[in-house]
């Protein structure tokens, strides 16, 4: 089955900017394009989310968020890249924190599509015969009503 062992990573980016509005969709996409994609060009998944958290003063904050999901090899370079992404977001958008979830040693694989096999002539003949029998039985059923 050709599974590889990797790390699954989720990063929750709050979009509220303290005292200054919200990180827009275009600002977040620019961040993805300039900061995340160069470090993980193989791919990622982005989710829109509505989150809440308790800030350092004890206040419950609700805010729209973006969740980035990555699957990558557990290497020092990738860990450094994750730390750089988080630091860049904290600084660029005046954030207090960024939530991360890491699950190491997951098994993943890509399942590629395969062409659908053509039915064999025997299978086709059996299917056609079954349809003819079903139609004849249905017609007989209608005559007896």
């Amino acid at each position: 089955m050709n599974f590889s062992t990797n790390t699954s990573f989720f990063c929750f980016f709050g979009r509220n900017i303290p005292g200054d509005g919200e990180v827009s969709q275009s600002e977040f996409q620019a961040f993805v394009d300039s900061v995340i994609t160069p470090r993980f060009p193989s791919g990622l998944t982005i989710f829109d989310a509505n989150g809440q958290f308790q800030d350092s003063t004890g206040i419950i904050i609700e805010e729209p968020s973006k969740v980035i999901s990555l699957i990558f090899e557990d290497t020092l370079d990738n860990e450094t890249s994750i730390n750089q992404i988080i630091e860049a977001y904290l600084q660029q958008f005046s954030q207090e924190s960024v939530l991360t979830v890491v699950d190491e040693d997951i098994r993943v694989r890509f399942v590629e599509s395969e062409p659908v096999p053509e039915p064999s002539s025997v299978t086709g003949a059996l299917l056609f015969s079954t349809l003819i029998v079903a139609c004849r039985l249905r017609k007989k059923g209608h005559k007896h009503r």
Side-chain angles (χ1 to χ4, degrees):
M1 282 202 183
N2 297 343
F3 283 95
S4 63
T5 301
N6 289 282
T7 296
S8 174
F9 175 80
F10 290 90
C11 197
F12 295 77
F13 297 98
R15 293 182 43 217
N16 284 351
I17 299 174
D20 197 24
E22 182 177 291
V23 177
S24 70
Q25 295 284 356
S26 60
E27 288 172 320
F28 190 81
Q29 188 59 53
F31 180 80
V32 169
D33 294 344
S34 65
V35 177
I36 300 175
T37 300
R39 289 170 173 83
F40 295 97
S42 296
L44 55 91
T45 302
I46 302 173
F47 302 93
D48 286 316
N50 293 312
Q52 73 176 40
F53 69 98
Q54 187 174 32
D55 73 5
S56 60
T57 65
I59 297 173
I60 300 293
I61 306 291
E62 294 181 6
E63 68 180 321
S65 301
K66 291 285 190 178
V67 180
I68 299 285
S69 172
L70 294 164
I71 297 175
F72 53 81
E73 290 182 52
D74 188 9
T75 66
L76 184 56
D77 285 344
N78 285 338
E79 288 179 25
T80 299
S81 292
I82 292 296
N83 291 331
Q84 291 169 343
I85 290 167
I86 293 166
E87 187 60 35
Y89 195 80
L90 292 171
Q91 288 180 5
Q92 185 172 340
F93 299 110
S94 303
Q95 299 294 298
E96 185 177 298
S97 63
V98 170
L99 173 66
T100 61
V101 178
V102 178
D103 186 5
E104 295 178 344
D105 298 325
I106 64 165
R107 292 175 34 155
V108 299
R109 72 180 174 130
F110 278 100
V111 179
E112 296 179 8
S113 89
E114 295 180 16
V116 176
E118 293 293 325
S120 69
S121 58
V122 173
T123 304
L126 285 174
L127 178 61
F128 184 70
S129 299
T130 304
L131 289 172
I132 290 173
V133 170
C135 288
R136 287 186 180 162
L137 289 174
R138 188 171 290 150
K139 283 182 182 178
K140 285 184 181 178
H142 289 296
K143 289 182 182 177
H144 293 297
R145 287 187 181 179

